[in-house]
Amino acid sequence: MSSTTSPLIQTLNPERWVGWSMDFIGAGYTGLLVKNGKFVRKLKPGRHFSFALPLLEQCELVLVDSKIRNLEILSQGDFLSRDQYLINISLNVMYQVVDARRVALELSDPIAALTSAVKDSLGVAVGQLRMEQLVNQGRVHIRQYLLDHAEISYSLGFALEDVRVSDINFPQTRGIIRQVEGMSARQEAEHEAALKMQIAEASRPVIPPPPIQHVNIVAPQSSNGNPAAFGTSPQPNSLPSAGESPANLPVRDKPVLAPTIIAQPASGVQAHLVHNASGATFNLSASTCTIGREPNNTLVLDDGLSSRYHAQITQSRDAQGQIQYQLIDVGSSNGTFVNGQRLTPHQPCTLTPGNIIRIGNQEWTFSRPHPPAPSPKSGRGGVG
C-alpha cells in the first residue's frame, strides 16, 4: 500500500512474507530503502529484495520521481529593476531530481526550497537590468543568468534543465514600496509613533537630581604609592623652584575631597571631626551620622578596610542637659578604635574633645569648641 506525500515523493510500506519483500522500482524513479528511520541504500529501477526482522525492524520504500518536471513561478511585484521599477515575471522552470536522498530525506518541502532558490537568482538578474533592457532582451538575459547560476538549486538536489520566461510586465508604480521593503502598514505606524515619542522626550527639560551631600575621604598615599603609616604627619608639597617644571613635582594619586557640612546648629557651637591626614573637616549635627563605604552613608569612606556600614555617631543629652556625642560600632569587620582601644560592637562610647577615632586606614580627631561664656549683665544706676 502506498501513500502519496507530494507529487514528487511517494512512501511505500511493502508487504512481507517471513521478513522478505520483493519491490519493483519503475522507470524514471529512484528508490530509497529506509529501515527503522535510517537510510540503508539507493535502489535503481528494477526488482529488489529486502529483509526485515518481524516486529523488530520496520522498512519503508521511498520513491522519488527523477523525470524532468515543470515548475511554474509567478511573481507579483517581487522584484525591482536597476532603475527602481517594479517587475512582474512569470517563469516555467524545467527541473530534475539529481540527489534523491537529499530531496526526500533532508528537505521538509523540496518544491518550496527550489522555488525560493530560483526567485533569489531571479531577483539578482532583474536588478542588473534597466526597464528598457528588460523590454528588449530581458527574456534572454534572465534565462541565461538562471542557467549559469544554478549551483544553488544543484546544492538542493535539483538540476535546472531549462528556463522559459513566459511574461514580463511593469506595474505603474516606481520606487520602493512597503511590500518590497518588508514594512507593513502596522510596522510603519509603530515606527512613526516611536519617532513622535522621541521628539516629545527630547523637548522636555532635563531636571538634574539634587546633589547628595556626602563626604568622600580617600586614604592618604605615601610618595611610593603605598598607604601612609598612622602616626606620621603628611609631607607638605613643596613649591617649584625657578626653572623647575611643575610636571616633575609629586602628584597625589587621589585628591582628598573637601567635606560638606550637612547641618548647622542654631547656637553656632558645633562639634566636628578633623581628618588627621588631609585636614578635612566634617561637621556633626543633631541627626545620626552614619559612616561606611556605601554611598548612602552620611560620611562615605573610600577605604577597603572599612565596612559597608561601619559605625555611627549620635547626639544626646546627659543628666545635666548638656549635649554629648556617642560613637557606636554597628558590627564592622575590622573594628572601630578610639585612642587605640577597640570598641565593643553596638556599645556606645561617649566622645570627648581630642579623642582619636580610627576606622580602617582613616584617623579622625573629635573636636568640640567650648560654648562662649555668657556676658555679664550691665545694670543701670538710678537717679536719686
Side-chain angles (χ1 to χ4, degrees):
M1 183 179 295
S2 65
S3 60
T4 303
T5 58
S6 74
L8 182 64
I9 302 171
Q10 298 180 13
T11 301
L12 304 178
N13 294 317
E15 296 181 358
R16 296 185 176 275
W17 179 257
V18 196
W20 288 95
S21 173
M22 183 175 62
D23 306 316
F24 292 92
I25 308 298
Y29 286 89
T30 301
L32 303 175
L33 182 62
V34 179
K35 182 180 294 186
N36 292 337
K38 295 183 179 180
F39 171 75
V40 178
R41 65 179 182 271
K42 184 186 297 184
L43 306 178
K44 296 181 179 180
R47 184 176 59 181
H48 301 273
F49 293 92
S50 62
F51 176 78
L53 293 174
L55 304 178
L56 296 179
E57 294 179 332
Q58 182 179 3
C59 285
E60 292 180 344
L61 181 62
V62 180
L63 293 180
V64 181
D65 189 351
S66 57
K67 300 186 295 292
I68 296 177
R69 300 169 61 90
N70 178 64
L71 175 63
E72 185 177 2
I73 298 178
L74 302 176
S75 69
Q76 297 294 330
D78 296 333
F79 309 107
L80 283 174
S81 64
R82 186 176 179 181
D83 48 359
Q84 301 296 300
Y85 278 93
L86 288 173
I87 309 298
N88 291 337
I89 298 180
S90 299
L91 293 178
N92 286 320
V93 179
M94 310 298 293
Y95 69 95
Q96 185 178 18
V97 175
V98 293
D99 189 347
R101 178 180 177 182
R102 178 163 178 78
V103 170
L105 303 181
E106 298 181 10
L107 299 178
S108 60
D109 193 342
I111 300 301
L114 176 61
T115 303
S116 177
V118 173
K119 280 191 172 183
D120 290 343
S121 299
L122 181 59
V124 176
V126 172
Q128 296 177 352
L129 302 177
R130 298 183 181 274
M131 185 182 65
E132 294 80 7
Q133 295 173 323
L134 287 170
V135 172
N136 297 328
Q137 52 185 355
R139 286 178 167 82
V140 177
H141 177 81
I142 291 174
R143 176 181 180 274
Q144 192 62 39
Y145 185 89
L146 293 181
L147 293 177
D148 293 342
H149 296 80
E151 61 274 3
I152 299 179
S153 302
Y154 191 83
S155 64
L156 298 175
F158 298 98
L160 298 185
E161 299 295 333
D162 194 9
V163 176
R164 297 179 182 178
V165 181
S166 57
D167 185 28
I168 299 179
N169 59 77
F170 308 89
Q172 299 298 320
T173 304
R174 182 173 182 175
I176 301 177
I177 61 175
R178 294 176 185 171
Q179 287 77 6
V180 178
E181 287 182 333
M183 178 180 289
S184 63
R186 176 183 175 184
Q187 290 174 327
E188 188 175 72
E190 293 176 352
H191 181 66
E192 292 178 356
L195 290 179
K196 291 180 180 179
M197 182 65 68
Q198 293 178 3
I199 295 173
E201 292 180 354
S203 61
R204 296 175 183 173
V206 179
I207 302 176
I212 301 176
Q213 297 183 349
H214 286 172
V215 178
N216 193 356
I217 300 299
V218 181
Q221 302 287 332
S222 61
S223 60
N224 57 2
N226 298 323
F230 288 106
T232 60
S233 59
Q235 298 295 331
N237 294 332
S238 58
L239 296 176
S241 58
E244 183 181 2
S245 174
N248 298 327
L249 296 178
V251 181
R252 297 178 63 90
D253 293 337
K254 295 182 179 179
V256 177
L257 303 180
T260 302
I261 298 176
I262 305 300
Q264 292 284 355
S267 62
V269 179
Q270 188 171 11
H272 55 271
L273 301 177
V274 180
H275 192 250
N276 293 351
S278 64
T281 302
F282 177 77
N283 295 330
L284 299 175
S285 63
S287 59
T288 300
C289 169
T290 60
I291 306 173
R293 288 187 290 108
E294 282 295 312
N296 58 351
N297 284 294
T298 311
L299 178 57
V300 181
L301 301 181
D302 185 9
D303 194 323
L305 297 180
S306 172
S307 298
R308 295 169 57 244
Y309 298 98
H310 198 105
Q312 64 182 18
I313 299 177
T314 61
Q315 184 189 100
S316 61
R317 292 185 179 272
D318 57 12
Q320 289 76 25
Q322 299 294 326
I323 296 178
Q324 63 179 2
Y325 293 89
Q326 293 182 325
L327 175 64
I328 303 174
D329 185 287
V330 295
S332 63
S333 300
N334 297 315
T336 304
F337 297 82
V338 176
N339 295 335
Q341 298 294 325
R342 182 166 182 168
L343 301 183
T344 302
H346 306 290
Q347 295 295 327
C349 172
T350 302
L351 298 175
T352 58
N355 287 158
I356 297 178
I357 303 171
R358 179 161 64 89
I359 297 177
N361 288 322
Q362 310 286 336
E363 280 192 350
W364 301 78
T365 299
F366 176 75
S367 178
R368 183 180 182 184
H370 295 286
S375 58
K377 297 181 180 179
S378 58
R380 178 178 297 180
V383 178

